[in-house]
Amino acid sequence: MANSLFEEKLYSNEFLVTTEIGPPKGADISEMVHHIDLLKDKVDAINITDHQSSVMRFPSLGGCLLVKEHGGEPILQMTCRDRNRLALQADLLLAYSRGIVNVLCLTGDSVDAGDHDEAKPVFDLDSVQLLKMIRIMESGTDIAGKELKGAPNFCTGASVHPEADFIEPQLIKFEKKVSAGAQFFQTQGIFDLGSLRRFMQYASQFNVKILAGIIVLASARMARYMNDNVPGIIVAQAIIDELASAGKGKGLQKGIEVAARLIRTIKEENLCHGVHVMAVGNEGIVPDILEAAELVGVPS
Amino acid sequence: MIVAEQKPLDEISRMIASYERVLILGCGTCMTVCDAGGEREVSFLHNALRVAQSKIGNGIHIFWEYTLKRQCDPEFLELIVERVAEVDAVLSLGCGIGVQAVAERFPELPSLPGVNTSFMGMTRETGVWDERCAACGDCRLEDTAGICPITRCIKGILNGPCAGTKNGKCEANKDMDCAWLLVYERLEKLAQLERMRRYYPPRNFRTIPRPRRIISKTSVDPGEEYG
């Protein structure tokens, strides 16, 4: 039996749509709640990011509880940057006890990328070990082998980077994540469908669901900034040129068009099992993208 | 070897301000090789401190200089017993181990650090040193083609690269090679890529309960009780 509505859909052959919300820096959750209400019925699940880019924020687990309270389907993003194996297991138990069962297992950005660059980086585990730890907990013990009073049960995901400029080691890691129990993958931003096609030719041999990451760019400047500063991201020159061609003040509109076109093509050509829309601070425009991609009303 | 950098002069001046007679103690091993605290640096620092005190007049110090072959070895410390009896503090240009060895041997005397001990590494070229070992106590270099991901990957992860690498460089530093790409390339050359496909479980941090002690199996006297 499926653990969650999202897991059920994962195996239904539906085209899946997920998105993500970055929690606020501070205790005022009104905007996050507004975005949750805006998006919860338009997508299959909402990721809540875990101090994305190592910038300290309201926690992912807190955001996921809000998604749940508001009737949405949360995906808990969990990085290994800030918690050792005790804290990770404890948070997983808390999540499960409150009905949060979809977990995206990530290593996490380096502390140097964020706004607390003097903090101690933890990385007691990596993403593969985190996936494996969840499977061990599901079998009824913690990873020290001690029996759990009540074993949790999760739907586990991970990330993969089909556009990495050095792909072979990334694919080795992908296979390790599959072996460690990842059921679904949300990819890093896809800007060149050729790389997604090549990746899927390889990945389709595994029994996992792939959701292509779609980053909505608001301008050519933002694209260049991401190329220079965001770990791993490589925005294709063709897309930068297209964004640059937009008139003044129309960059975001162009970005929505580009994202919608990518999503439409992925769906029409059945390239992978769904998309994960990352609006990076512009969560409010996600419905516009889904509408432009003709994906409105996806959830059944 | 151990690599360190000498502390800024004003920090050292503040540290010694309340001590009249100061022994500047160099170390003839690692600190000499990394240009942080050998005989030459002791002499430079001695001159610099004299010039500084004449400029700002923060007390009148009397300095002595001496460089031991190694500060981390008790038998060498015996060579300065008489000199130490005449000073108010030792400014050690040894690594953090040297500073502590001096403190242990001369419990009645302040032992001040003149360098910031940074890492264990090797010489890349004249004046450039690179960190290579984290002393994790559980060496796996046979699985990673002789390249240490615990030291050279900013996250110290064991199962392959994160997705932050770009142009072969680390997400945290565009000048730093991604350790895992280096590991991959070298394993490929050695036809040992299967080592990278293996799952490596979480590290056993019990291999490094601090502080650690190693007792030679051939040693007759294991020394004092631990702790």
Side-chain angles (χ1 to χ4, degrees):
Chain A
M1 206 186 79
N3 271 317
S4 68
L5 209 55
F6 176 69
E7 188 172 20
E8 202 175 305
K9 284 180 182 162
L10 213 49
Y11 298 107
S12 70
N13 293 324
E14 269 182 51
F15 188 78
L16 292 158
V17 180
T18 58
T19 189
E20 67 185 38
I21 295 176
K25 191 172 189 74
D28 179 356
I29 56 170
S30 54
E31 195 187 358
M32 177 165 53
V33 167
H34 166 72
H35 286 143
I36 290 170
D37 286 336
L38 181 72
L39 299 170
K40 68 185 164 74
D41 297 322
K42 296 189 171 66
V43 295
D44 296 305
I46 300 173
N47 290 37
I48 304 292
T49 58
D50 179 10
H51 308 297
Q52 195 168 14
S53 301
S54 305
V55 171
M56 193 288 296
R57 288 167 179 274
F58 190 88
S60 173
L61 194 46
C64 288
L65 287 170
L66 285 170
V67 174
K68 202 78 194 163
E69 283 166 21
H70 286 250
E73 180 77 10
I75 296 178
L76 175 68
Q77 290 200 185
M78 192 167 238
T79 72
C80 301
R81 179 192 50 234
D82 312 311
R83 287 165 287 187
N84 70 6
R85 61 194 86 175
L86 280 82
L88 288 168
Q89 290 179 104
D91 280 358
L92 284 164
L93 292 176
L94 169 56
Y96 179 74
S97 74
R98 303 294 294 270
I100 297 161
V101 295
N102 311 307
V103 184
L104 187 75
C105 299
L106 306 165
T107 296
D109 289 327
S110 127
V111 168
D112 305 63
D115 64 352
H116 285 59
D117 58 2
E118 294 187 357
K120 182 176 186 182
V122 178
F123 301 111
D124 186 21
L125 306 186
D126 61 27
S127 51
V128 183
Q129 294 161 346
L130 176 57
L131 284 159
K132 203 97 164 177
M133 184 175 81
I134 289 177
R135 290 292 172 253
I136 292 169
M137 291 174 76
E138 288 175 339
S139 76
T141 71
D142 64 20
I143 60 161
K146 301 288 184 293
E147 194 180 335
L148 294 175
K149 189 176 173 187
N153 211 348
F154 293 101
C155 172
T156 50
S159 74
V160 63
H161 192 4
E163 293 198 352
D165 52 7
F166 203 146
I167 192 72
E168 293 84 359
Q170 298 291 339
L171 298 183
I172 290 177
K173 186 123 184 215
F174 169 79
E175 285 189 41
K176 288 170 102 163
K177 289 178 180 180
V178 173
S179 302
Q183 296 164 261
F184 68 95
F185 284 82
Q186 291 172 319
T187 77
Q188 302 273 5
I190 297 288
F191 297 101
D192 164 22
L193 291 179
S195 57
L196 181 63
R197 284 191 192 95
R198 281 190 296 279
F199 172 70
M200 286 309 297
Q201 277 174 5
Y202 152 84
S204 55
Q205 64 183 301
F206 303 100
N207 182 28
V208 291
K209 303 292 177 176
I210 310 290
L211 278 62
I214 303 294
I215 296 179
V216 189
L217 297 163
S219 64
R221 206 173 129 224
M222 176 183 172
R224 288 190 204 102
Y225 175 85
M226 292 187 88
N227 275 353
D228 288 342
N229 298 292
V230 178
I233 298 287
I234 305 162
V235 183
Q237 189 57 41
I239 287 183
I240 299 180
D241 293 344
E242 191 174 350
L243 288 164
S245 75
K248 206 170 164 55
K250 292 186 178 153
L252 184 57
Q253 190 50 45
K254 180 58 82 180
I256 293 174
E257 267 175 55
V258 170
R261 188 180 67 225
L262 288 168
I263 297 169
R264 243 184 353 256
T265 313
I266 289 168
K267 190 177 180 204
E268 281 167 13
E269 295 186 20
N270 210 6
L271 289 181
C272 61
H273 309 101
V275 288
H276 175 63
V277 182
M278 294 173 269
V280 220
N282 281 314
E283 285 90 346
I285 61 162
V286 171
D288 300 334
I289 298 163
L290 300 182
E291 195 173 331
E294 294 153 33
L295 276 176
V296 173
V298 164
S300 43
Chain B
M1 67 164 168
I2 294 169
V3 181
E5 287 181 294
Q6 203 174 100
K7 282 180 176 287
L9 188 65
D10 59 342
E11 187 182 341
I12 294 177
S13 294
R14 277 197 304 275
M15 215 181 321
I16 63 167
S18 55
Y19 306 108
E20 189 186 336
R21 298 167 301 170
V22 178
L23 171 62
I24 306 171
L25 187 63
C27 186
T29 314
C30 307
M31 293 304 104
T32 299
V33 182
C34 73
D35 300 346
E39 198 166 3
R40 192 176 57 143
E41 290 73 33
V42 167
S43 166
F44 286 169
L45 180 64
H46 184 174
N47 287 329
L49 286 169
R50 284 166 69 152
V51 171
Q53 84 167 354
S54 69
K55 269 189 188 160
I56 56 174
N58 78 347
I60 305 298
H61 300 292
I62 304 162
F63 297 106
W64 286 273
E65 52 180 88
Y66 198 86
T67 298
L68 290 172
K69 190 168 184 185
R70 274 199 302 281
Q71 291 187 19
C72 57
D73 219 327
E75 67 181 87
F76 291 108
L77 289 170
E78 294 309 315
L79 300 173
I80 55 167
V81 170
E82 283 175 25
R83 175 52 44 84
V84 163
E86 296 167 6
V87 302
D88 303 313
V90 175
L91 173 62
S92 165
L93 297 193
C95 66
I97 306 162
V99 179
Q100 295 182 71
V102 170
E104 277 185 36
R105 176 61 187 81
F106 306 108
E108 71 288 356
L109 206 65
S111 178
L112 311 171
V115 306
N116 289 321
T117 307
S118 303
F119 54 76
M120 281 189 284
M122 64 179 212
T123 308
R124 177 171 200 82
E125 56 191 74
T126 308
V128 181
W129 296 272
D130 281 339
E131 185 174 14
R132 283 294 177 267
C133 179
C136 74
D138 185 18
C139 193
R140 300 166 185 218
L141 283 167
E142 84 277 17
D143 286 330
T144 55
I147 294 162
C148 177
I150 288 171
T151 313
R152 298 178 67 179
C153 164
I154 192 130
K155 301 174 188 175
I157 52 179
L158 298 178
N159 282 294
C162 72
T165 168
K166 207 185 303 194
N167 303 317
K169 302 297 177 184
C170 173
E171 69 176 31
N173 180 348
K174 287 171 188 165
D175 297 323
M176 192 161 71
D177 291 329
C178 167
W180 273 107
L181 295 193
L182 298 178
V183 170
Y184 173 84
E185 285 177 332
R186 215 168 122 67
L187 283 175
E188 193 179 30
K189 273 190 201 127
L190 298 171
Q192 292 181 348
L193 270 180
E194 79 283 355
R195 289 174 189 258
M196 193 160 158
R197 295 183 193 281
R198 268 182 223 156
Y199 170 71
Y200 294 93
R203 281 170 64 191
N204 173 6
F205 282 89
R206 286 195 69 191
T207 60
I208 49 170
R210 288 213 157 99
R212 288 171 269 178
R213 168 174 288 175
I214 288 178
I215 299 169
S216 163
K217 291 194 175 58
T218 57
S219 140
V220 182
D221 174 15
E224 65 187 279
E225 282 303 303
Y226 206 172

